[in-house]
Amino acid sequence: QLQLVESGGGLVQPGGSLRLSCAASGFTWEYYTIGWFRQAPGKEREGVSCISSSGATTYYADSVKGRVTISRDNAKNTVYLQMNDLKPEDAAVYYCAARRQGLQTVQPMCLMTVEPDYRGQGTQVTVSS
């Protein structure tokens, strides 16, 4: 069964950190670009960060650049999103998605000009004092 499962969300104070994980099963993980997206109530979905199948290419939204790091461990079929210096505006449901790697997939996927092949259910991140 094809599946993406996110974990690591929770409540954190402003300035705090969280590490989100996206674990995959049921498909050949290492051939896929993986992205993290978020959506808050009343706001549009946003591509936060994406990483190529090899991990060599990454993309970060301007809103998180310098505070977020994406990485992947293909041996564990897992992608991580380390988020530091969290702000109230980072609060959202975060979900990961996968798209078969092409010549140029990372930026289009994060800019949402291409659709993912698979998507997880999401994990809630709340930033509040």
Side-chain angles (χ1 to χ4, degrees), residues 10-11 23 28 37 42 47 49 63 76 111 119:
L11 172 64
T28 311
F37 301 81
S49 182
S63 58
K76 295 182 178 179
L111 295 178
R119 171 180 161 171

Side-chain angles (χ1 to χ4, degrees), residues 8 11 17 22 24 29 35 41 49 56 69 76 81 84 100 117 122:
L11 172 64
S17 298
C22 170
W29 171 259
S49 182
T69 303
K76 295 182 178 179
L81 189 72
N84 301 320
R100 182 88 181 193
D117 298 319

Side-chain angles (χ1 to χ4, degrees), residues 65-99:
K65 204 170 289 184
R67 301 187 295 120
V68 165
T69 303
I70 192 169
S71 61
R72 67 190 294 161
D73 185 339
N74 284 345
K76 295 182 178 179
N77 283 7
T78 303
V79 167
Y80 304 98
L81 189 72
Q82 177 68 44
M83 302 190 295
N84 301 320
D85 190 23
L86 283 161
K87 306 176 186 300
E89 53 265 37
D90 293 318
V93 175
Y94 284 70
Y95 64 93
C96 62
R99 179 178 170 90

Side-chain angles (χ1 to χ4, degrees), residues 6-21:
E6 303 91 341
S7 61
L11 172 64
V12 63
Q13 292 186 343
S17 298
L18 282 175
R19 188 177 80 156
L20 306 183
S21 298

